[in-house]
Amino acid sequence: MAASRRPTLADVAREVGVSAKTVSRVLNEDGPVSARTREQVLAAVAKLGFQPNLMARNIRVGGPDTTVGLVVPDLANPFFGAVARGIEETVRDRGLTLLMGSSADDPERERALTAQFLARRVSILIVVPSVGADHSDLKSHRTAGLPVVFLDRPGVGLTTDSIVSSNRAGAQEGVAHLIAHGHRRIGFVGDLPTKLYTRRERLAGYRAALQEADIPYDRSLVASAHDQQGAEAVTAQLLELPDPPTALFAGNNIMALGIVAELARGKRKDVAVVAFDDVSLAEALEPALTVVAQDPGEIGRSAAATALARLDGDRSRARTITVPTRLIVRGSGEQPAPKP
């Protein structure tokens, strides 16, 4: 057998001197085989390093694959990496393997990716919905018993379980923290697109904090970007306003990085900052970054646990589980507003 070729079922059969059907019976435990033949087949499997094609078997017998399909918008975002870790930690004890793919927040790419996962008959499907995506095509799969869970954002066209953060309450707490330190001109730098569920909820929390403090909402203080460079640019624009903000609220971790980079470039330590989402090395910044921290690990674990319960037969009504956020005070959000 060539060293560069993966061993096949036929190779194992040839090594033992039995038929491929006999090897299949041993591996799938679906037919009578003598104890001696079984031992010989398993020894040959170990010797040759043969790996059964579980996907092909499951499609053949009509059963689900031993995998969990996870669709996220951005594999490079540490938040979704932490979410995936929480899912993997939960499902691996059930013998399930996590498969991930990126939709790039593109509805068509999301649809194609979910179709690939469905084609391999995943045991569970977990999706971070893209803006503009329609999930009504998943109804038949959910009705047939496939656990489908939306994560971070609710989906559209399908009533199913959703796991989200306390976006609105968390943002309100973060902005209220800035107000408590005397700030009344507070800028908001949010993600794009503006219809994104998390952005809308966090902007609503921002506005609720202003309203509670009797501070008028000023549309000129609200900016949008989709990446760190864009966040740097809109931060510079906010700071150049005739009546600029004395504090900034970042709508997510990527926006926070752009804000911090622009303030550092301008040597501006007089602007207070609170970010929604924690960021790497937040404590190493000067000043250290105050954040409204999500719990991505718990979001992932909760999504996996909910899906596993459905897999085990839970047929209760679909529910939305909200994972709390917490304010972590580190210094940047405690910069007092300048005296008039």
Side-chain angles (χ1 to χ4, degrees):
M1 184 175 61
S4 60
R5 183 169 64 83
R6 297 178 65 183
T8 66
L9 195 75
D11 295 325
V12 175
R14 192 178 303 112
E15 178 75 16
V16 181
V18 297
S19 68
K21 186 173 183 179
T22 297
V23 175
S24 178
R25 284 177 175 172
V26 171
L27 297 178
N28 296 325
E29 299 181 351
D30 62 356
V33 178
S34 70
R36 177 171 174 74
T37 299
R38 175 180 171 78
E39 290 177 3
Q40 290 176 327
V41 168
L42 294 179
V45 166
K47 175 183 175 182
L48 299 176
F50 172 69
Q51 292 290 330
N53 187 336
L54 294 179
M55 178 180 172
R57 175 190 178 277
N58 291 329
I59 291 175
R60 185 172 66 254
V61 302
D65 194 9
T66 56
T67 53
V68 175
L70 172 62
V71 181
V72 300
D74 184 4
L75 291 173
N77 191 323
F79 174 83
F80 293 112
V83 166
R85 184 167 61 248
I87 294 172
E88 196 276 334
E89 288 173 351
T90 305
V91 302
R92 68 184 174 197
D93 290 339
R94 293 286 294 270
L96 299 173
T97 302
L98 180 64
L99 298 179
M100 290 180 65
S102 172
S103 67
D105 255 332
D106 180 340
E108 290 305 315
R109 188 164 169 178
E110 179 193 313
R111 179 189 288 270
L113 192 53
T114 55
Q116 291 175 25
F117 284 148
L118 293 170
R120 67 171 297 149
R121 302 183 65 85
V122 293
S123 295
I124 292 169
L125 181 64
I126 302 176
V127 180
V128 179
S130 304
V131 174
D134 181 359
H135 303 95
S136 56
D137 59 321
L138 297 176
K139 285 181 180 179
S140 60
H141 298 280
R142 185 178 184 277
T143 301
L146 173 69
V148 179
V149 177
F150 291 133
L151 188 149
D152 190 52
R153 318 160 186 172
V156 173
L158 177 68
T159 301
T160 193
D161 300 311
S162 298
I163 315 297
V164 298
S165 285
S166 53
N167 293 285
R168 187 177 301 210
Q172 184 171 353
E173 182 182 18
V175 175
H177 185 71
L178 292 168
I179 294 171
H181 285 81
H183 297 280
R184 295 185 65 82
R185 297 286 291 172
I186 302 171
F188 176 93
V189 180
D191 197 5
L192 286 172
T194 56
K195 291 183 179 179
L196 188 67
Y197 167 80
T198 48
R199 181 222 159 82
R200 288 189 289 107
E201 286 294 294
R202 293 168 196 175
L203 180 61
Y206 163 85
R207 297 189 66 166
L210 296 181
Q211 183 176 11
E212 190 174 68
D214 293 324
I215 300 174
Y217 173 69
D218 185 343
R219 190 181 297 274
S220 71
L221 293 178
V222 176
S224 305
H226 191 58
D227 53 28
Q228 181 176 333
Q229 292 71 31
E232 292 176 23
V234 296
T235 298
Q237 293 170 10
L238 287 172
L239 296 177
E240 290 170 0
L241 290 172
D243 187 8
T246 62
L248 295 170
F249 183 81
N252 67 13
N253 53 0
I254 304 301
M255 300 302 101
L257 292 175
I259 289 172
V260 169
E262 181 59 31
L263 292 178
R265 183 178 297 111
K267 296 181 170 36
R268 296 289 302 272
K269 294 186 177 182
D270 58 323
V271 179
V273 180
V274 172
F276 199 106
D277 279 349
D278 212 347
V279 300
S280 298
L281 301 177
E283 294 180 341
L285 299 172
E286 182 56 44
L289 188 63
T290 293
V291 301
V292 176
Q294 299 189 83
D295 191 344
E298 180 56 29
I299 291 172
R301 289 187 291 272
S302 183
T306 299
L308 288 173
R310 296 298 187 189
L311 198 63
D312 291 339
D314 180 358
R315 294 295 179 264
S316 60
R317 295 181 64 179
R319 54 191 177 272
T320 296
I321 297 174
T322 301
V323 178
T325 56
R326 64 189 180 101
L327 180 68
I328 301 178
V329 174
R330 295 195 178 114
S332 68
E334 294 67 63
Q335 173 73 30
K339 294 181 180 180

